[in-house]
Amino acid sequence: MRRGRDGTRRGLLVGVTAATMLGVAPGAHAAISVSDATPVGEGTPDAALSFTVSKTYVVLGPAATVRFRTTGGTATAAADYSANAGQPVSLPNSLGGSSQVVRVPILPDALDEADESVIVTIDEATGDTSITDATATGIITDDDPAPTVSITDASGAEGTASAGSVTLPVTLSAPSGRTVTVPYTVTPGTATAPDDIDATAGSITFQAGQTVGSVTVLTVADGVDEPDETFSVTLGPLTAASPGTDTTATGTVVNDDAPVVSIGGVAAAEGTAEGPTTFSFPVTLSNPGRGPVSVRVRSGDAQAQAPGDYGAVDQVVTFVAGETSRTVTVAVVADAVREADEAFTMTLDEVTGGVLGTAVAVGAIQNDDAEPPLGTGPGGALPGTPGGGPAVPTGPIDGSQPVVRLANLAYRRSGARVRVKVTCPASETRCAGTVTVFNIVQSRSKIRALRRETRMARGTFTLTGGASVTLTMKTTAAGRKLLRSVKSLKVRAFGVARDPAGNTGIATKSGTFRR
């Protein structure tokens, strides 16, 4: 028995001596720590940051445990990595110490961005232990290329009363996780600085995630008709971005001072002389053109009909450089018959070197005959009596022009009908007249049919003051043919009205027909 107890005593002594030689004393605290992870590229397959939790030496007693969790860093949980809310890690006893590797999965993205950090913490240790290094850091290295940046050509009006601008779009090929600042320079061309543009250099900034921006160059307003002018914008030098397909673009300053061509109306007595009465219609430019300006002028029937009441006109008027006024004359047939005032229209289109302003004017032929005409019915009955035809207006011819209102111009494919609402203002006692619809001539269209005028429909109306009517007019054969050749058609309705005194006025309404 003594030998056994001595043997046991000697075994314990050997164990204690061995433990002492290893630097471990019975009952000493074990040191637990967590070490930094090796940096990992975010695009690595099954990427993860690997943190090692270690117990440095052996103690007598049960295994130690700690709680491992992700607690911060510049990386964003759920966007850059999978967060760990608190994972228990067990460290068993071992003469040489023990360790466990804990992985934090990395979530890849396509953003060019700075390297990001993930901080982890160990706490809540159990067993006869102490924590010496409670935190560690892992680095997620970015492996996404910087986006490319490009700029696109653009144009803008120079302005007249106030400055205009040209805005050139700038785009990133992909979102970036960084703030991207793009410097630019402006180089004058035919648009000079400071006379035509502000050529100040600058920069634009894309916040993280943005891909669309722009460079705006201010233009100098003037009232001179001149050619379009150009300049260039160049991006760079670039940081946090690479050159795209185009880092230089052209800005065009569009001339907006082209002369505006307009025509004025004429209201005059028809005359009683043997020869015709001349109606002179003024055709004017708002400002001189830099070259010739031409416009087509055409007359159109309303109550007055050519050639019985006036001589039809279809001519091209040309302004030479510097000229701003021309006249178109119409021969009005003089007679000695008392009748209602009549009207015809004068329309401008097919402008070159300018733009249209007031495109329609009225020629109001005022009756100046006092004697009533002979009746038109059997036996020469007077107008307004049985068999004598419609009564001639007896109210004063005061020269005021009634103005009807046109609205809701539309085309109905079913039945090929044109509809327009006509309203006679309450200020009038009665409005009577016609509505004629034409296509708007597009002189530069590739479709030949659009380069000439076609009458689409025609209707008549008689309304008391304040009343309205929706005219439904059958589309002409030529109009139906034109609509079949295009998907959409721009049109204009001309409403010519006459009041009881014989005064004439005109209204217009534009619209688009779709087949």
Side-chain angles (χ1 to χ4, degrees), residues 10-422:
R10 284 195 296 271
L12 289 173
L13 179 61
V14 170
V16 170
T17 302
T20 302
M21 292 175 65
L22 290 172
V24 181
H29 293 287
I32 300 179
S33 63
V34 59
S35 59
D36 293 342
T38 301
V40 175
E42 66 180 1
T44 304
D46 194 28
L49 291 169
S50 297
F51 295 90
T52 302
V53 181
S54 303
K55 185 171 67 171
T56 58
Y57 52 82
V58 175
V59 294
L60 302 178
T65 63
V66 292
R67 183 76 61 178
F68 176 97
R69 68 185 85 237
T70 53
T71 56
T74 58
T76 303
D80 299 311
Y81 66 94
S82 296
N84 190 322
Q87 174 185 342
V89 178
S90 177
L91 299 167
N93 286 323
S94 173
L95 283 178
S98 61
S99 64
Q100 294 286 348
V101 174
V102 182
R103 300 174 78 251
V104 175
I106 302 305
L107 304 177
D109 60 33
L111 294 177
D112 173 45
E113 55 194 344
D115 293 348
E116 298 170 311
S117 62
V118 178
I119 297 176
V120 301
T121 300
I122 57 173
D123 54 20
E124 299 181 13
T126 65
D128 197 11
T129 60
S130 63
I131 297 175
T132 58
D133 290 301
T135 62
T137 302
I139 301 298
I140 304 172
T141 58
D142 182 64
D143 55 5
D144 297 304
T148 60
V149 60
S150 299
I151 188 169
T152 305
D153 296 346
S155 61
E158 67 179 0
T160 51
S162 59
S165 63
V166 180
T167 299
L168 298 87
V170 180
T171 56
L172 294 184
S173 60
S176 175
R178 309 173 189 264
T179 297
V180 179
T181 300
V182 181
Y184 66 84
T185 54
V186 180
T187 303
T190 55
T192 61
D195 293 336
D196 300 310
I197 60 170
D198 179 356
T200 304
S203 64
I204 59 174
T205 299
F206 295 86
Q207 298 298 332
Q210 291 182 334
T211 59
V212 178
S214 62
V215 172
T216 297
V217 177
L218 296 180
T219 62
V220 179
D222 62 34
V224 180
D225 181 32
E226 56 192 345
D228 293 348
E229 299 166 318
T230 60
F231 61 90
S232 62
V233 175
T234 301
L235 306 179
L238 302 174
T239 56
S242 302
T245 54
D246 295 295
T247 54
T248 297
T250 299
T252 301
V253 182
V254 178
N255 174 57
D256 55 4
D257 299 303
V260 179
V261 190
S262 298
I263 187 169
V266 175
E270 66 183 358
T272 56
E274 293 183 1
T277 300
T278 299
F279 277 31
S280 297
F281 292 84
V283 182
T284 58
L285 299 184
S286 59
N287 54 279
R290 64 178 182 270
V293 178
S294 64
V295 63
R296 187 177 181 182
V297 186
R298 288 183 285 185
S299 59
D301 290 348
Q303 291 90 1
Q305 306 283 313
D309 297 308
Y310 71 97
V313 170
D314 187 345
Q315 68 182 74
V316 174
V317 174
T318 300
F319 299 81
V320 298
E323 192 174 21
T324 59
S325 180
R326 295 293 303 274
T327 299
V328 174
T329 60
V330 175
V332 173
V333 178
D335 62 33
V337 178
R338 177 170 173 79
E339 57 191 343
D341 288 357
E342 298 170 314
F344 60 93
T345 60
M346 297 288 283
T347 303
L348 305 181
D349 59 19
E350 299 181 18
V351 179
T352 58
V355 294
L356 279 178
T358 302
V360 180
V362 173
I365 306 173
Q366 299 173 343
N367 176 71
D368 56 1
D369 301 300
E371 294 298 324
L374 293 176
T376 57
L382 292 175
T385 63
V392 174
T394 58
I397 301 176
D398 57 14
S400 66
Q401 296 182 349
V403 179
V404 293
R405 293 190 292 270
L406 303 182
N408 303 337
L409 178 62
Y411 175 70
R412 296 184 62 182
R413 287 177 292 181
S414 175
R417 304 285 176 171
V418 175
R419 300 178 64 183
V420 65
K421 183 179 180 180
V422 185

Side-chain angles (χ1 to χ4, degrees), residues 349 438-443 450 452 489-492 510-511:
D349 59 19
F438 296 92
N439 66 299
I440 296 176
V441 175
Q442 301 177 37
S443 57
L450 295 179
R452 60 176 181 271
L489 182 67
K490 294 182 178 180
V491 299
R492 182 177 290 119
S510 298

